[in-house]
Each structure stands twice: as C-alpha cells, then as structure tokens.
Amino acid sequence: MTILQLKYVIAIDEECSMRKAADRLYVSQPGLSSAVRDLESELGIQIFERVHNGVVTTAAGASFIAYARNAVEQFEKVEDRYLNSKNERPTFSVSMQHYTIAVDAFIDTVKEFDLPEYQFSIRETQTSEVIEDVKTLKSEVGVIALSDFNKATFKKIFVDAALEFHELFSRDTYVYLSKDHPLADAKELSLDDLQDYPCMVFDQGDNTSFYYREEALATYDYKKVISTNERATSIELMLGLDGYAVGAAMLGEGKTSSDIHVIKLKEDEMLTFGYITRKGQELSEMGRTFVEKLERHKEI
C-alpha cells in the first residue's frame, strides 16, 4: 500500500468515475484501474463497484477511504513541514473549549509575533473535538478545563490518546448572570436559588456523558437547561431569559460579556485549567508564547 494508491482511491470516490479521476490525477485510466485492483487485492476488500455510468463506493470502501483521507492529510502535513518549509507561511493552530482566556492569549500571541505573512487558526469547539484535533495534529495546543468530577476519567482518556495534560491553575466555582437579573445583588448563590431560571450549557454533540461537560457541577439535576454551541449565543440567552451559567472563566471576561455579573456559588467544585499536547511533543516558539500568555490568567 502506498500514499499514491490512497490518493487514487480518494480521487475516485470524489469523482465517482475512473475516467474523471484519471484526468484529474494526470494518469492513464488503465494504470489507475490496475493500481486500485492491486490495492483491493492486498486489502481483501472491494473498494468500488463498477456501474454503467461510473463507480460506486462500497460500504467497506467508504470505511477504508475515511482512514485513507486521514493518512493522506497527515502525510501532506509532514511534507509541508519538512519538504516545503522554505516556501510555507508560518502556521499555528489552537483548539479550545469555550473560554475567553484562550482567545485573549491567542490575540496577544499573534500581536507579539507580528509576522508579515501567516496562516493561523483558533477553533472553539466541543471537548471531544479539542482532544481529536490535538491527537491528529490539526492543532498544536488544546485548551481544556477539568472538574473534580471528570479529572480522573480524562487523564485516562489523555493517556489512551497519547496526549499530555499540562496543568496551569485552578479556580473556584461561580455563577454568571445578567447584571439586571433578579438575583444579581446577592453576595452568594446556591443552585437551589437558581432552579426557576434556565441554565446554559455547551452542547457536546454525540458525547452526552456528564464527563464531557466543560461546566462545573455537571451532575446536578437542573430543572431548566438550554444547550448552545457558542459563547455569544449563551450571553444573549442569559440576558434575554434571565438565564445563568456555572463555571469559572467560561463567560463574563470578554468584551462581549460586559453585561454579565459574577457571583460566588455555594456549591463549590474546582475547575483545573490547562492545555494538552501530543505526548513528547516540543512546542514551537509560538506555542510556548501562547502558553505563557495563558499562565498570566493565573492571578486573575
């Protein structure tokens, strides 16, 4: 099996035609067909079924091509990093849960380097995707928080995924609500005080387990829950519905959060903030700077 064969089957799958794939790849159709037959024989599966107007990818073929795409993407990253590095724009990528401290650290890092050209990315996403992004090298660093409840579970997940968790700091638990909320003047609140108001949580997709929740006190039996997938929506819902969120540094620290009030929560569960990297990976200069910017939030 070769990378070239993987590129061949990916192209055929996308074009649904041997002829079109051959034209796209600048190879002869007989040569392309022969390479696919050799690969199918080696794997012991049929990747494509020939039909009168092209080809159809089989179920076994679709499963194989999903792995092939990942392998080709990783191979191309190696090529870009080591073979095309002289012509490549500087790159840096971060994946994170929904925390403004990571956005602030990213902004400060980009400003500090002030490069004439670059290709940077920051991805605010679900917990499982932060882990997957770092595992597959889509991101160099993943920013994540662990609660007392899920810390042991996630440490095992990190080991299984060949990742390392680097602890930065821990924070107490707070409730975030509108400054005009009926309970905004309270010195301290309990979850029972808030039961008549909707609690905002971040959607974790197919991972509905409490362990994947990025908020503290994930197992509490909230009467009213609204799931969202971005911070801006959560803030708008909190303002419009007298809602609230539970956590530390999840909301209320960005420029879009000026109308959010923070109150200490009686039910306390520490959130431990840190970042994940591939095991044994040495951070780039930008990666190290980004982590330094994150660490500045320790005393906030």
Side-chain angles (χ1 to χ4, degrees):
M1 185 190 311
T2 66
I3 287 291
L4 192 57
Q5 285 176 312
L6 300 186
K7 290 181 177 180
Y8 283 175
V9 296
I10 291 170
I12 296 168
D13 177 67
E14 291 174 347
E15 299 292 346
C16 299
S17 165
M18 288 280 187
R19 179 183 59 79
K20 291 180 180 179
D23 291 343
R24 169 176 151 184
L25 296 165
Y26 301 102
V27 298
S28 69
Q29 186 172 334
L32 181 61
S33 297
S34 177
V36 173
R37 283 196 301 271
D38 289 344
L39 181 59
E40 288 177 325
S41 176
E42 181 181 355
L43 297 174
I45 63 171
Q46 183 179 359
I47 300 174
F48 301 108
E49 181 180 347
R50 281 69 173 174
V51 295
H52 71 280
N53 60 345
V55 296
V56 175
T57 305
T58 66
S63 178
F64 172 74
I65 289 171
Y67 286 102
R69 290 184 194 280
N70 187 54
V72 170
E73 287 176 3
Q74 299 308 315
F75 178 80
E76 290 175 346
K77 286 180 181 180
V78 172
E79 282 188 318
D80 288 340
R81 179 74 178 269
Y82 295 102
L83 299 182
N84 305 324
S85 57
K86 292 183 179 179
N87 300 319
E88 184 187 13
R89 292 178 180 178
T91 61
F92 178 61
S93 57
V94 171
S95 292
M96 64 176 196
Q97 292 173 319
H98 303 78
Y99 297 113
T100 56
I101 59 171
V103 179
D104 294 340
F106 187 85
I107 291 171
D108 292 342
T109 301
V110 174
K111 285 181 176 179
E112 181 162 321
F113 279 80
D114 192 26
L115 299 170
E117 293 186 35
Y118 54 73
Q119 186 68 47
F120 299 153
S121 67
I122 181 167
R123 190 163 182 253
E124 185 174 312
T125 187
Q126 299 165 352
T127 304
S128 60
E129 292 188 358
V130 175
I131 295 170
E132 186 66 18
D133 285 353
V134 179
K135 178 181 175 181
T136 59
L137 301 178
K138 180 179 289 186
S139 289
E140 181 178 350
V141 179
V143 181
I144 201 165
L146 307 180
S147 66
D148 293 339
F149 169 69
N150 66 17
K151 185 179 293 185
T153 298
F154 269 105
K155 285 187 176 180
K156 183 180 185 305
I157 291 173
F158 296 150
V159 170
D160 292 343
L163 301 175
E164 292 180 318
F165 177 73
H166 309 267
E167 183 174 329
L168 292 173
F169 51 84
S170 295
R171 291 233 184 132
D172 293 326
T173 311
Y174 292 83
V175 59
Y176 298 82
L177 39 72
S178 165
K179 65 181 182 181
D180 297 321
H181 192 282
L183 301 177
D185 292 332
K187 299 295 184 181
E188 192 175 51
L189 287 170
S190 71
L191 291 177
D192 287 343
D193 296 329
L194 295 157
Q195 278 286 46
D196 291 333
Y197 304 96
C199 179
M200 306 298 151
V201 301
F202 287 114
D203 178 66
Q204 296 299 332
D206 294 334
N207 291 289
T208 56
S209 168
F210 290 130
Y211 290 105
Y212 279 84
R213 286 267 292 272
E214 58 191 83
E215 299 86 8
L217 302 164
T219 58
Y220 183 80
D221 186 20
Y222 298 92
K223 286 172 57 177
K224 301 178 180 180
V225 177
I226 298 178
S227 297
T228 71
N229 60 8
E230 62 177 21
R231 284 177 292 119
T233 300
S234 291
I235 293 170
E236 290 301 318
L237 290 170
M238 289 166 66
L239 297 176
L241 297 174
D242 281 336
Y244 69 97
V246 174
M250 185 180 74
L251 294 170
E253 295 178 353
K255 295 179 177 63
T256 61
S257 307
S258 57
D259 291 327
I260 299 299
H261 194 50
V262 181
I263 299 174
K264 185 71 179 67
L265 198 62
K266 292 179 181 178
E267 295 91 345
D268 197 23
E269 181 179 49
M270 297 295 289
L271 282 174
T272 301
F273 286 81
Y275 63 96
I276 55 175
T277 60
R278 284 291 296 264
K279 187 175 181 180
Q281 174 188 0
E282 182 176 346
L283 288 178
S284 66
E285 185 179 2
M286 286 200 73
R288 293 193 297 272
T289 301
F290 176 75
V291 170
E292 290 171 2
K293 305 299 184 184
L294 281 176
E295 287 177 332
R296 293 183 182 180
H297 292 269
K298 183 175 183 178
E299 304 302 328
I300 293 177

